[in-house]
């Protein structure tokens, strides 16, 4: 047992991404004096909490061998619904938040139904939904940013102190969400069914799993998570922005892939997605501290994604 434990730790999908994260932290820590400070680490978590939360939903869908290109647009629409209902609609903030979460869940439900009932590829369904929701966001908002938000909508942006470091409540919520979904995927029948569905839908169906219902449920839960991301975004920016989330779909996929989750489904851990999101955040933060132009940050992120997918592909070939 003692001999196999280190081997199991090394072979877990998170081992490689975690090693990359540690090496990146060491590199930037040695090259910048401000990197290894509490405020900087708090800033990194704040910078990745929205995309990281989106990536939780993306992980669920990719584990089923799907993909969601509409999650950033759904988040933006949910944020506009929450802020407009609270500011101009006169709705109590809690009801406005509930409405935004419900709308995001409904879009996830529609995605799931289109994938299962009409048998459309997830890429096509969510690409179409991206355009639909993007248009609805701009129509409903009237192209206007919503300001003057009630305090309850921005409470997650407030901070508490840990030592000399200010930590936002939104950062804490993001970490709790990762813990919750790590438990759900690793320790519940629902999570085991999600993995089985991603490995082989037909085998999962023959074992008694209601694959269509499960797929619809995964997309709906992912939509709910996008709604939570919308609330985190509002709390961080203090406004309802119709322009938000335009590249967050790709950033969320980047976090999932860098975290070791296979794009072919059935393999990966949601904690790996957290590591992947932190890798992106650490690289962008560290390169910024070093004075590297933002365009090179994008370049390096793209190279990391290609390398991660290449490693996944080689691993699949080796295991055949």
């Amino acid at each position: 047992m003692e001999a196999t434990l280190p081997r199991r730790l090394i072979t877990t999908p998170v081992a490689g991404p975690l090693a990359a994260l540690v090496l990146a932290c060491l590199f930037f820590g040695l090259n910048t004096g401000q990197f290894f400070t509490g405020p900087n680490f708090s800033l990194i978590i704040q910078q990745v909490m929205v995309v990281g939360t989106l990536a939780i939903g993306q992980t669920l869908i990719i584990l089923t061998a799907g993909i969601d290109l509409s999650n950033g647009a759904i988040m933006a629409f949910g944020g506009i619904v929450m802020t407009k209902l609270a500011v101009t609609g006169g709705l109590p903030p809690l009801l406005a938040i509930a409405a935004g979460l419900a709308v995001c869940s409904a879009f996830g439900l529609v995605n799931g139904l289109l994938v299962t009932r009409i048998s459309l590829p997830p890429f096509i369904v969510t690409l179409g939904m991206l355009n639909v929701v993007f248009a609805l966001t701009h129509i409903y908002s009237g192209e206007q940013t919503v300001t003057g938000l009630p305090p309850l909508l921005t409470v997650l942006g407030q901070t508490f102190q840990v030592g000399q470091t200010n930590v936002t409540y939104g950062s804490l919520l993001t970490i709790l969400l990762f813990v919750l979904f790590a438990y759900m995927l690793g320790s519940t029948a629902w999570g085991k069914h999600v993995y089985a569905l991603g490995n082989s839908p037909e085998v999962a169906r023959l074992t008694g799993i209601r694959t269509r219902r499960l797929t619809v449920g995964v997309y709906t839960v992912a939509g709910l998570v996008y709604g939570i991301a919308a609330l985190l975004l509002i709390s961080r920016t203090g406004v309802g922005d119709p322009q938000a989330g335009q590249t967050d779909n790709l950033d969320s996929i980047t976090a999932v892939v860098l975290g070791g989750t296979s794009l072919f489904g059935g393999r990966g851990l949601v904690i790996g997605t957290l590591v992947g999101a932190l890798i992106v955040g650490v690289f962008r933060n560290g390169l910024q501290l070093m004075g590297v132009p933002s365009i090179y940050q994008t370049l390096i992120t793209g190279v990391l994604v290609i390398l991660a997918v290449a490693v996944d592909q080689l691993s699949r070939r080796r295991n055949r």
Side-chain angles (χ1 to χ4, degrees):
M1 178 69 71
E2 293 180 2
T4 60
L5 182 58
R7 183 175 180 180
R8 288 176 60 189
L9 291 174
I10 292 172
T11 56
T12 181
V14 183
L18 189 58
L21 177 61
V22 171
L23 290 174
C25 288
L26 289 174
F27 174 80
F28 291 119
L30 292 172
N31 285 278
T32 62
Q34 307 99 315
F35 185 82
F36 280 126
T37 62
N40 189 57
F41 281 134
S42 177
L43 177 62
I44 291 172
I45 295 175
Q46 291 176 51
Q47 290 172 338
V48 304
M49 70 180 183
V50 174
V51 169
T53 302
L54 279 178
I56 293 174
Q58 188 76 259
T59 302
L60 298 177
I61 291 172
I62 289 179
L63 284 173
T64 67
I67 199 163
D68 192 351
L69 300 177
S70 64
N71 59 359
I74 291 174
M75 174 189 71
F77 186 71
I80 289 297
V81 168
M82 293 177 192
T83 53
K84 276 197 66 93
L85 288 178
V87 174
T88 62
L91 210 61
L94 277 178
L95 288 180
I97 292 170
L101 295 176
V103 166
C104 291
S105 301
F107 280 121
L109 173 63
V110 171
N111 279 339
L113 289 173
L114 290 173
V115 168
T116 57
R117 301 301 177 183
I118 310 181
S119 299
L120 293 175
F123 181 89
I124 299 300
V125 168
T126 58
L127 178 61
M129 187 61 72
L130 163 65
N131 290 287
V132 169
V133 180
F134 178 80
L136 289 175
T137 300
H138 286 263
I139 292 169
Y140 182 58
S141 67
E143 307 279 357
Q144 298 297 314
T145 299
V146 184
T147 58
L149 307 185
L152 192 58
L153 283 179
T154 59
V155 67
L156 292 176
Q158 296 179 11
T159 63
F160 62 95
Q161 274 205 319
V162 177
Q164 301 298 316
T165 303
N166 290 325
V167 180
T168 65
Y169 290 103
S171 300
L172 182 61
L173 175 59
T174 300
I175 293 171
L176 290 176
L177 285 172
F178 273 102
V179 172
L180 171 63
F181 279 95
Y183 170 78
M184 290 175 63
L185 287 171
S187 304
T188 68
W190 181 81
K192 291 178 174 59
H193 290 173
V194 170
Y195 282 105
L197 176 62
N199 279 315
S200 175
E202 183 60 19
V203 172
R205 185 185 67 82
L206 292 174
T207 59
I209 298 173
R210 306 177 81 167
T211 54
R212 285 189 173 185
R213 177 178 292 186
L214 178 61
T215 302
V216 172
V218 167
Y219 277 86
T220 305
V221 171
L224 176 61
V225 175
Y226 304 155
I228 298 173
L231 186 59
L232 289 169
L233 179 64
I234 292 168
S235 70
R236 186 160 190 261
T237 61
V239 298
D241 183 7
Q243 304 293 338
Q246 294 189 25
T247 62
D248 285 350
N249 55 350
L250 301 180
D251 288 342
S252 69
I253 295 171
T254 298
V256 175
V257 172
L258 289 179
T261 296
S262 173
L263 286 173
F264 303 97
R267 181 177 180 271
L269 299 170
V270 74
I271 294 301
T273 297
L274 173 59
V275 175
L278 288 173
I279 289 173
V280 176
V282 163
F283 265 89
R284 290 181 175 173
N285 175 268
L287 291 171
Q288 187 174 19
L289 289 176
M290 292 176 65
V292 176
S294 61
I295 191 63
Y296 290 101
Q297 300 172 28
T298 304
L299 172 65
I300 292 172
T301 302
V303 171
L304 289 173
V305 171
I306 293 172
L307 288 174
V309 175
V311 169
D312 177 43
Q313 185 76 294
L314 292 172
S315 175
R316 284 173 57 84
R317 290 176 182 174
R318 189 166 53 247
N319 292 332
R320 284 176 182 173

